[in-house]
Amino acid sequence: AQSVTQLDSHVSVSEGTPVLLRCNYSSSYSPSLFWYVQHPNKGLQLLLKYTSAATLVKGINGFEAEFKKSETSFHLTKPSAHMSDAAEYFCVVTFYGGSQGNLIFGKGTKLSVKP
Amino acid sequence: GAVVSQHPSRVICKSGTSVKIECRSLDFQATTMFWYRQFPKQSLMLMATSNEGSKATYEQGVEKDKFLINHASLTLSTLTVTSAHPEDSSFYICSARVSSNEQFFGPGTRLTVL
């Protein structure tokens, strides 16, 4: 069965320090992977996506993620956190086949940034 | 990128009334739209898939008579919460599929049922 696991429900970092949000997936198909950010009471904004091209994907706002097939991981990183990065982050996977919706959401990781 | 809007952004209604939420694709046509529900501090739960010109496909456990979905045009899908109750209070988010594996999300609608 396909699944997505976000290993940390809450991550807290200081402003200016690196950010690491972890995501692992399980699938027998070739996945496409996404990271979305959600600010309070807002919709989802796409940060970046992997669709079988380059394994290191650069997104908006300085975020990037690396697809590692051997580790079935797609961790999100940023070299230096900013206060505006505080939000909820969702790792999302889609697989060919399965339901029409196809998207499988992780439970989310809340990122807090301390001044 | 593609823009999806939702209206209203926030609605408060009395128990027993019906509420309609609109989802529009502003600069593209979407044959398929999706409706999600998000409980506080939780992830998104797919409620149903809305296909233009045909009946929606509901996920297991979602009452189709409770959550009416209409996708009458390539740019508009509506979700009507009928006879709303306080437990229906939630954040409802729609999305529209552009390609086979990418969806663009609306900003969400906060429903509060008193």
Side-chain angles (χ1 to χ4, degrees):
Chain A
Q2 292 84 22
S3 66
V4 182
T5 303
Q6 289 184 243
L7 296 162
D8 306 295
S9 60
H10 190 193
V11 170
S12 181
V13 301
S14 297
E15 189 175 21
T17 64
V19 175
L20 170 63
L21 305 182
R22 298 181 292 170
C23 173
N24 286 88
Y25 70 93
S26 172
S27 170
S28 55
Y29 300 99
S30 295
S32 292
L33 297 129
F34 308 81
W35 274 99
Y36 285 90
V37 60
Q38 184 181 33
H39 289 90
N41 294 311
K42 300 289 186 182
L44 297 172
Q45 181 183 18
L46 180 66
L47 280 177
L48 48 80
K49 62 181 179 180
Y50 165 77
T51 55
S52 76
T55 56
L56 181 62
V57 182
K58 293 186 183 299
I60 62 172
N61 301 335
F63 284 94
E64 63 181 39
E66 185 173 8
F67 172 69
K68 293 186 177 180
K69 187 175 181 179
S70 61
E71 299 177 7
T72 60
S73 69
F74 190 58
H75 302 333
L76 181 70
T77 61
K78 182 173 181 177
S80 176
H82 191 272
M83 294 296 291
S84 61
D85 295 327
E88 189 86 20
Y89 291 79
F90 292 98
C91 181
V92 181
V93 184
T94 184
F95 306 95
Y96 291 102
S99 70
Q100 292 186 65
N102 278 14
L103 292 186
I104 299 176
F105 282 80
K107 291 186 180 295
T109 298
K110 181 178 180 180
L111 176 64
S112 299
V113 182
K114 298 174 289 186
Chain B
V3 179
V4 176
S5 70
Q6 279 184 245
H7 177 79
S9 58
R10 186 182 295 267
V11 58
I12 300 173
C13 69
K14 292 182 179 180
S15 185
T17 61
S18 294
V19 174
K20 179 185 285 188
I21 302 170
E22 294 184 347
C23 177
R24 292 182 186 273
S25 56
L26 298 185
D27 50 2
F28 65 99
Q29 293 182 330
T31 56
T32 304
M33 290 184 172
F34 304 90
W35 286 97
Y36 295 85
R37 182 173 181 177
Q38 185 180 28
F39 292 99
K41 299 182 180 180
Q42 293 191 29
S43 189
L44 277 69
M45 179 192 77
L46 178 65
M47 298 175 66
T49 302
S50 170
N51 296 299
E52 187 268 336
S54 65
K55 291 183 178 180
T57 304
Y58 290 82
E59 295 299 302
Q60 190 173 10
V62 179
E63 300 175 61
K64 61 180 180 181
D65 296 329
K66 173 76 170 175
F67 299 99
L68 300 179
I69 292 173
N70 184 277
H71 194 158
S73 79
L74 288 171
T75 59
L76 173 64
S77 175
T78 60
L79 168 67
T80 301
V81 182
T82 62
S83 187
H85 289 280
E87 57 264 31
D88 298 325
S89 299
S90 192
F91 195 53
Y92 292 88
I93 301 176
C94 74
S95 72
R97 184 157 66 188
V98 177
S99 61
S100 62
N101 61 1
E102 185 168 358
Q103 297 179 21
F104 289 89
F105 290 83
T109 296
R110 171 74 61 193
L111 171 63
T112 302
V113 184
L114 303 176

